[in-house]
Amino acid sequence: MKIQLLKGDITKVEAEAIVNAANSSLMGGGGVDGAIHRAGGPAILEACREIRARQGKCPTGEAVITTAGVLPAKYVIHTVGPVWQGGGSDEAAYLHRCYQNSMALAEAYELTSIAFPNISTGVYGYPKSKAAEVALQAIKAYRDDYPESTLQEVLLVCFDEENHTLYDRLLNA
Ligand code: AR6
């Protein structure tokens, strides 16, 4: 499984699945969530509504999968990151589960590539350096635990320079 760093807009990325940093309502929002719904069109919200009707809200740390509408990706995996509350409320464990559950869902669909944004590091206020460490730890743990995974490529898509620099440093340490 290759781990690759990219800088830019995840809505343009041609991975089989792109991950959305959603909220538990699954009804859209700002940041990367807003960008994905805007660029992918109404089919994504329609699919989210069906999931809501079936299973209710998506809890923090969990993930669901929908069409990617008109995006170059095939699927959007919506996961709900933790809101940063100072670090004492299991934020790291929840963030770890976001990456782990998104990869497991991609694998259940036999996908070969997945692209992640920097979950929780925008509106949800998770300190970027701490979040980057958790993200890489979760991805590497998944890679080690599932050597036969269908996932061959994990793309880390950094929209802002600060995250890109942090990941670059961690990946090349
Ligand atoms: N492509 C890739 N990354 C992006 C893009 C993009 N087009 N746009 C922003 N980012 P945020 P959160 C980065 O706030 O902190 C929403 O309203 C951004 O630089 O999108 O998990 C949801 O509905 C940042 O590093 O997500 C929730 O209510 C990262 O994406 C809430 O925000 C995450 O920032 C979730 O907050």
Side-chain angles (χ1 to χ4, degrees), residues 23-38:
N23 60 65
S24 60
S25 82
L26 299 174
M27 292 294 106
V32 70
D33 194 4
I36 288 173
H37 280 280
R38 257 194 318 278

Side-chain angles (χ1 to χ4, degrees), residues 1 16-17 106 109-114 150-154:
M1 189 187 289
E16 284 198 289
Y109 277 67
E110 299 185 348
L111 306 185
T112 57
S113 57
I114 185 168
T150 59
L151 281 171
Q152 286 161 23
E153 199 175 28
V154 177

Side-chain angles (χ1 to χ4, degrees), residues 8-10 21 23 28-33 35 118 120-124 159-160 163:
D9 179 355
I10 202 166
N23 60 65
V32 70
D33 194 4
N118 307 130
S120 284
T121 67
V123 176
Y124 280 0
F159 194 63
D160 57 272
N163 266 316

Side-chain angles (χ1 to χ4, degrees), residues 21 31 36-37 56 68 73 80 98 101 118 123 132 134 142:
I36 288 173
H37 280 280
V80 182
C98 286
N101 285 327
N118 307 130
V123 176
V134 173
Y142 193 93

Side-chain angles (χ1 to χ4, degrees), residues 121-149:
T121 67
V123 176
Y124 280 0
Y126 206 117
K128 290 177 181 174
S129 63
K130 290 192 199 305
E133 280 174 22
V134 173
L136 285 179
Q137 198 184 49
I139 292 164
K140 287 178 178 171
Y142 193 93
R143 181 186 61 185
D144 295 345
D145 289 347
Y146 302 99
E148 306 292 315
S149 173

Side-chain angles (χ1 to χ4, degrees), residues 1-10 13 15 17-19 99 102-103 113-119 131-140 143 153-160 163-172:
M1 189 187 289
K2 269 194 308 186
I3 301 173
Q4 285 203 52
L5 184 59
L6 291 182
K7 185 155 191 306
D9 179 355
I10 202 166
V13 171
I18 61 166
V19 176
Y99 286 91
S102 297
M103 292 175 80
S113 57
I114 185 168
F116 284 103
N118 307 130
I119 301 165
E133 280 174 22
V134 173
L136 285 179
Q137 198 184 49
I139 292 164
K140 287 178 178 171
R143 181 186 61 185
E153 199 175 28
V154 177
L155 301 165
L156 296 164
V157 186
C158 299
F159 194 63
D160 57 272
N163 266 316
H164 188 261
T165 306
L166 279 166
Y167 275 92
D168 195 36
R169 208 175 290 152
L170 286 173
L171 283 168
N172 296 306

